[in-house]
Amino acid sequence: MTQPFWGPDFTALAQEDPQIADILLAELDRQRGGLQLIASENFTSPAVLAALGSTLSNKYAEGYPGRRYYGGCVEVDKAEVIGMERAKDLFGAEHANLQPHSGASANIAAYGAFVKPGDTVLAMSLPHGGHLTHGSKVNFSGKWFDVVSYGVREDTELIDYDEVLALAKQHRPKLIICGATAYPRLIDFAAFRAIADEVGAILMVDAAHFIGLVAGKAIPSPVPYADVVCFTTHKVLRGPRGGMILCKEEHAKAIDKAVFPMMQGGPLMHAVAAKAVALKEAATPEYQRYAADVIANAQALAAGLADEGMRPVSGGTDTHLALIDLQGVGVTGAEAEERCDAAGITLNKNAIPYDPNPPAVASGIRVGTPCVTTQGMGVGEMKTVASLIGRAVRDEGDPQSVRDEVGELVAAFPAYPAD
Ligand SMILES: *Cc1c(COP(=O)(O)O)cnc(C)c1O
């Protein structure tokens, strides 16, 4: 069976729309041709891409399996049920909703299920690593809710659980959120559960970044502690771009109703099927090795960058990402991002806790190892990557010479096999 279904046909695209076809090819070259160190990105498998590029995209399926508002859902129903079962098995969860279009959509649904506009929410502050949806003034969360923020301690750069408890007692939030976009350490979910219980709040874990490490059994799971766990499927988890929600059975109805019809219309059934494929992949021993390797690589990269005079915030990492303070080398995050980009190294500038610079400049960078680990690189390569970043950031010599070495390294670990 070489073509089991009417699937992606690149020749047809190239003939009908060469402009867009060229962009697809150029983007593949870009992904293959440089070092991809954005902590929230990964390279999906060809199987996930096949499901994404399928005719399931054509199908309207508002509702849930067996309870749809449209006919003809017999096949997509099967895909969604398989995906839900795989998610519950993999994470030991009581209920799974695979329909959120993105991580932000999953979070909006969780807010919709548990709080009303004007209610108080306690979440991690953005400058200390929280996400836009955790109370930023430019986001729905900050506009519609009364969000109180906690941060990290200045001395340890770790979440200050005493501050979280004190703020919870003072403000009595209905919803407490933990999880972040730029926090390299493990989060104490039991501590958050105890604080939520103390004030009668719902505990939502936004596991967007690290859920893949949980799937691979490389870090502790928030599922036993949280009322609801929201996440993206495209970061370490290595699935299609999208979101997902796990929750206790008692919240299943509220969550399902908040995803549809409260916040979304028809689900993206091609993405739901691709999530099911990714969940199957994530349940394998190979993926568990991958998750452990992602962390070992991040630790090696952080240590290598420390050797280059760039300080890992909190002293290192327990996860797939490191936050690096560049003040010791006298370079801003914005400058570092630009210099690395010129050398074929893609990473992002990032505020560090108590950053003296404004966010658009920032004193740090964030690096992650999901992509390079998918490519097969190991801790030996991370030493090389750290020294390439060091040369690019300090702007020593010719950026082209760094770029050439980046090219040689990634050629030895191709992101997708050459065709
Ligand atoms: C990435 C991320 C999100 C948002 O995911 P999108 O798919 O970009 O909407 C939400 N929360 C956290 C903590 C994230 O890291």
Side-chain angles (χ1 to χ4, degrees), residues 40 101-105 107 130-131 133-134 179-181 206-209 232 234-235 241-243 366:
S40 46
H101 300 330
S102 68
S105 300
N107 288 354
H131 187 255
T133 53
H134 299 180
T181 63
D206 183 349
H209 256 274
T232 56
H234 51 271
K235 298 181 182 177
R241 187 158 294 280
R366 189 185 65 165

Side-chain angles (χ1 to χ4, degrees), residues 44-220:
T44 53
S45 70
V48 167
L49 289 177
L52 271 181
S54 71
T55 53
L56 270 66
S57 170
N58 299 337
K59 190 68 199 98
Y60 242 113
E62 282 182 345
Y64 291 98
R67 306 175 270 138
R68 304 284 191 186
Y69 290 78
Y70 288 85
C73 289
V74 56
E75 300 303 335
V76 294
D77 270 11
K78 291 180 202 161
E80 188 164 352
V81 168
I82 289 169
M84 288 163 66
E85 290 306 317
R86 286 178 183 168
K88 288 193 283 180
D89 283 352
L90 182 60
F91 296 108
E94 292 175 17
H95 181 70
N97 187 309
L98 273 62
Q99 294 192 6
H101 300 330
S102 68
S105 300
N107 288 354
I108 293 173
Y111 277 85
F114 298 114
V115 281
K116 294 198 165 49
D119 281 349
T120 302
V121 174
L122 178 60
M124 191 159 187
S125 91
L126 213 62
H128 286 200
H131 187 255
L132 275 172
T133 53
H134 299 180
S136 160
K137 282 290 164 219
V138 295
N139 182 261
F140 82 90
S141 52
K143 286 184 191 290
W144 296 343
F145 299 92
D146 180 15
V147 182
V148 178
S149 299
Y150 60 85
V152 299
R153 286 174 59 108
E154 196 160 5
D155 53 351
T156 58
E157 297 174 312
L158 301 175
I159 291 172
D160 187 343
Y161 295 93
D162 296 333
E163 184 199 22
V164 179
L165 176 61
L167 289 171
K169 282 179 161 171
Q170 186 188 343
H171 297 280
R172 313 296 298 184
K174 272 210 177 131
L175 177 68
I176 297 179
I177 305 176
C178 64
T181 63
Y183 187 69
R185 296 301 188 171
L186 298 180
I187 294 169
D188 186 344
F189 303 121
F192 270 101
R193 177 76 263 166
I195 294 166
D197 285 344
E198 173 106 19
V199 299
I202 291 282
L203 178 61
M204 163 180 161
V205 176
D206 183 349
H209 256 274
F210 57 79
I211 194 70
L213 302 176
V214 175
K217 316 235 180 296
I219 65 169

Side-chain angles (χ1 to χ4, degrees), residues 31 58 94 117 165 216 229 240 253 266 271-272 283 287 311 341-342 348 394 406 408:
Q31 291 185 17
N58 299 337
E94 292 175 17
L165 176 61
V229 180
K253 265 212 173 83
V272 168
Y287 185 85
R311 186 184 75 89
D341 194 52
N348 62 282
R394 287 189 303 265
V406 165
E408 282 168 33

Side-chain angles (χ1 to χ4, degrees), residues 282-293:
T284 59
E286 291 76 22
Y287 185 85
Q288 289 183 12
R289 268 197 297 282
Y290 166 73
D293 289 348

